[in-house]
Amino acid sequence: MRRTTPPFRVGIIGCGGISHAHAFGFGNLPSLFEVRTVCDSNQEAARRLAEPFGAPRICGDWREVIGDPEIDAVDILLPHHLHALVGVSALRAGKHVCLEKPLAITLSEGIELVHEAKASNGVFMVAFNERHRWSVRTIKRIVDEGRIGDVYMVRTDHNQNPRFAADAWYRNAQLAGGGALIGSGIHMLDLLQWFCGTATSVFATGVKLPEVLETETAASVIVEFAPRKEGCPRCIGTLDISWAAPNHPWYQFLVVYGTRGTVSTLRGDIVSLRTAGEQEEFRAPEGDTWTDSFREELRHWGECIAQGATPLTDAREAFRSLEICVAAYRSMETGASVRIPLPV
């Protein structure tokens, strides 16, 4: 029977690269979660991930996890093409669900998850950890306090140099749903719509480097947003992303422009506020790292389960970033701006 109070019994489904950050989060939240099962088709990977948690059950079939009455919640960390299948199945089994981004790889799959999450009595969250970074939360607080006025533009820049094995699922467009944009750029698209509101159109272009991926390795995206309220300016958001920057440090830039000032971060350790009347810098707490954002997003999920609350990135919110991403791919194909909402 599903517990109604923490610690909630968790099954981790998928032991790829991102699973280690999630395991770090669970390991630092013992009052909220108890990892009971670790599942992966690679049993050795499952054993390695399970080791710090004592002696949780190991299995190779995700169906065993969602069918286990001793599991309250599942953390789904699978290749993108499996998100809808496993997410829907877990919701129908009555589990609370944390699903690694993206929500899905098609709009129809995304809508199915939105409907299932609404019908379920479980708490469903898509894992957009960037919202839980110290720097992003600090910028959002400053914006919400009105210190830079009405937001009219947001710029993001994200660079990585991932090394994928020849048989990695990320190299397969059918499994990944795309390349750099849906792989990590969707984090930035989520931030754009969080700061700017409702998207109305998208224009995008991309570059393919076949030796890296069969889909886009780099992309530039411009998103137009409706005014948040009467009398406010419309907002535009931009994203530049590359997955092919040799010897380039992991880099992420976020700047929010308002009618009275700007607030920005370059690497996440310092937030800079600039207005006509003030210049102020905020520094991250000592020891704060990118990995801490995974702990904080899982803390948010656990608290929502305990309180029966709606997570920041529920299915509907995650669908909005998926729709922007799909529109960007359609724009790359046609060379034209694409209006939102999209027909399904």
Side-chain angles (χ1 to χ4, degrees):
M1 187 173 180
R2 198 173 74 185
R3 287 180 180 173
T4 57
T5 57
F8 301 108
R9 299 163 296 184
V10 174
I12 298 176
I13 302 175
C15 298
I18 203 66
S19 66
H20 300 285
H22 282 245
F24 164 83
F26 286 123
N28 282 275
L29 297 169
S31 64
L32 277 175
F33 296 108
E34 176 186 331
V35 175
R36 284 287 189 91
T37 302
V38 177
C39 174
D40 197 276
S41 58
N42 182 332
Q43 296 285 280
E44 182 55 35
R47 289 190 185 92
R48 287 196 300 269
L49 193 73
E51 188 173 348
F53 299 106
R57 176 173 172 241
I58 303 297
C59 71
D61 188 340
W62 58 266
R63 295 171 184 83
E64 293 183 35
V65 184
I66 67 170
D68 186 348
E70 297 299 309
I71 293 294
D72 307 307
V74 293
D75 187 25
I76 301 171
L77 311 172
L78 295 170
H80 297 167
H81 72 293
L82 295 173
H83 285 195
L85 171 64
V86 182
V88 167
S89 299
L91 287 167
R92 289 178 178 173
K95 306 302 183 186
H96 302 296
V97 176
C98 176
L99 175 66
E100 181 59 35
K101 59 75 195 160
L103 176 67
I105 60 175
T106 68
L107 294 182
S108 58
E109 289 179 343
I111 288 175
E112 183 180 16
L113 275 164
V114 169
H115 290 161
E116 290 294 337
K118 183 178 180 180
S120 170
N121 62 358
V123 172
F124 180 88
M125 183 184 80
V126 175
F128 282 105
N129 68 291
E130 292 298 324
R131 289 203 189 196
H132 299 274
R133 293 187 74 185
W134 169 85
S135 56
V136 174
R137 287 186 286 114
T138 300
I139 290 173
K140 189 66 165 63
R141 174 178 56 79
I142 290 170
V143 170
D144 289 348
E145 289 172 351
R147 297 177 70 178
I148 65 168
D150 295 322
V151 174
Y152 66 86
M153 184 167 70
V154 178
R155 289 174 52 210
T156 61
D157 195 331
H158 185 92
N159 292 301
Q160 295 185 47
N161 189 34
R163 303 298 178 88
F164 298 117
D167 60 349
W169 62 267
Y170 254 122
R171 289 183 177 274
N172 187 321
Q174 299 301 312
L175 305 184
L181 189 57
I182 199 168
S184 59
I186 198 166
H187 277 297
M188 302 298 101
L189 299 181
D190 174 64
L191 294 186
L192 291 182
Q193 57 103 0
W194 196 31
F195 282 103
C196 296
T198 302
T200 58
S201 69
V202 179
F203 177 80
T205 186
V207 174
K208 293 183 180 180
L209 300 178
E211 66 273 20
V212 180
L213 291 172
E214 65 180 60
T215 52
E216 86 290 347
T217 312
S220 289
V221 183
I222 301 174
V223 187
E224 293 185 332
F225 296 87
R228 281 190 174 271
K229 58 184 178 181
E230 188 175 349
C232 285
R234 70 184 180 93
C235 188
I236 58 173
T238 66
L239 163 63
D240 293 310
I241 183 170
S242 172
W243 265 9
N247 296 317
H248 194 293
W250 186 91
Y251 169 88
Q252 183 168 298
F253 178 72
L254 169 66
V255 56
V256 182
Y257 296 80
T259 52
R260 295 202 301 270
T262 64
V263 59
S264 63
T265 187
L266 177 61
R267 294 290 297 275
D269 56 340
I270 298 175
V271 168
S272 299
L273 171 65
R274 300 288 185 269
T275 68
E278 63 179 327
Q279 295 186 21
E280 189 173 356
E281 286 192 342
F282 306 84
R283 294 185 177 273
E286 186 175 355
D288 179 78
T289 68
W290 170 74
T291 313
D292 291 334
S293 64
F294 291 89
R295 179 194 63 225
E296 294 309 305
E297 76 173 353
L298 291 172
R299 186 197 307 277
H300 175 62
W301 181 44
E303 290 174 348
C304 286
I305 294 172
Q307 299 164 12
T310 301
L312 281 173
T313 49
D314 65 355
R316 287 185 178 276
E317 187 76 352
F319 183 82
R320 294 173 64 198
S321 58
L322 174 64
E323 187 173 36
I324 295 171
C325 188
V326 171
Y329 282 127
R330 293 184 185 179
S331 178
M332 288 182 197
E333 293 172 359
T334 63
S337 179
V338 174
R339 299 291 298 176
I340 290 178
L342 294 171
V344 179

